[in-house]
């Protein structure tokens, strides 16, 4: 029943009336507002269906193109992010904040991130590739001596390039 119809409709009249689909009030209002906006802005719809060029806008930061090759600062920043996630995840696991499954999930994600990191051609690239090889061969457990050695080499390369590896701490970690 439509809100504008009487409470007790005449059944004979209802059966003879053709079925009419009505748009919801919100949809009708949206169509009317769009048409009114177009009319007030001077826009018209041409019968030939001609295209109207959209106004030029400056691209958002997220839409900006990435450089074709990673630079040293980018690689060291990625290493900082990945090593920070590993460090905080191991701490959270030790504190009981995450369980074994959550830690395993994060470690798997970190493994993939290191595997697919674009190493580019920079002064830090050999150290990044060393970390990638170590991760591919043996994982990234903190107790794995070779992983720690590879990360130390990468930290040295980043320092030499002017971009330090920085790891931020969680509340409660003393940071």
């Amino acid at each position: 029943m439509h809100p504008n119809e009487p409470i007790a409709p005449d059944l004979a009249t209802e059966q003879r009336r053709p079925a009419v689909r009505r748009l919801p009030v919100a949809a009708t209002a949206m169509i009317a507002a769009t048409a009114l906006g177009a009319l007030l802005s001077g826009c018209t719809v041409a019968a030939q269906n001609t295209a109207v060029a959209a106004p030029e806008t400056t691209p958002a930061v997220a839409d900006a193109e990435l450089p074709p090759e990673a630079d040293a600062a980018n690689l060291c920043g990625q290493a900082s992010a990945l090593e920070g996630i590993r460090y905080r995840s191991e701490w959270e696991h030790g504190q009981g904040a995450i369980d074994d499954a959550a830690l395993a999930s994060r470690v798997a994600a970190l493994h993939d991130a290191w595997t697919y990191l674009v190493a580019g051609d920079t002064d830090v690239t050999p150290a990044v590739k060393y970390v990638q090889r170590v991760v591919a061969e043996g994982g990234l457990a903190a107790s794995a001596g070779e992983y720690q050695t590879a990360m130390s080499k990468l930290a040295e390369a980043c320092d030499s390039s002017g971009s330090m590896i920085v790891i931020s701490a969680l509340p409660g970690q003393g940071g």
Side-chain angles (χ1 to χ4, degrees):
M1 176 181 297
H2 191 272
N4 293 335
E5 292 182 26
I7 292 177
D10 179 14
L11 293 178
T13 307
E14 286 293 320
Q15 292 172 354
R16 285 185 272 139
R17 196 181 308 170
V20 177
R21 287 189 84 192
R22 298 176 194 243
L23 289 174
V25 174
T28 305
M30 179 71 80
I31 292 169
T34 303
L36 180 61
L39 181 64
L40 293 176
S41 68
C43 294
T44 59
V45 178
Q48 299 94 340
N49 195 14
T50 59
V52 177
E56 288 189 36
T57 59
T58 55
V61 173
D63 293 337
E65 288 188 33
L66 294 174
E69 291 286 330
D71 60 16
N74 175 280
L75 290 171
C76 296
Q78 292 294 320
S80 293
L82 297 176
E83 187 63 2
I85 292 167
R86 186 200 58 80
Y87 171 74
R88 291 184 298 274
S89 296
E90 288 179 355
W91 183 83
E92 287 176 313
H93 184 255
Q95 297 295 309
I98 62 172
D99 62 11
D100 293 342
L103 179 63
S105 175
R106 291 181 187 185
V107 168
L110 287 167
H111 184 276
D112 284 352
W114 275 112
T115 300
Y116 298 110
L117 179 67
V118 176
D121 186 21
T122 70
D123 293 341
V124 300
T125 297
V128 168
K129 288 184 177 183
Y130 178 32
V131 173
Q132 288 177 316
R133 183 182 55 78
V134 169
V135 169
E137 291 174 359
L140 50 109
S143 60
E146 192 171 6
Y147 176 77
Q148 293 300 330
T149 300
M151 283 305 300
S152 293
K153 296 286 184 192
L154 180 55
E156 290 172 14
C158 287
D159 286 347
S160 294
S161 74
S163 182
M164 295 176 20
I165 291 183
V166 179
I167 299 172
S168 60
L170 291 170
Q173 285 184 299

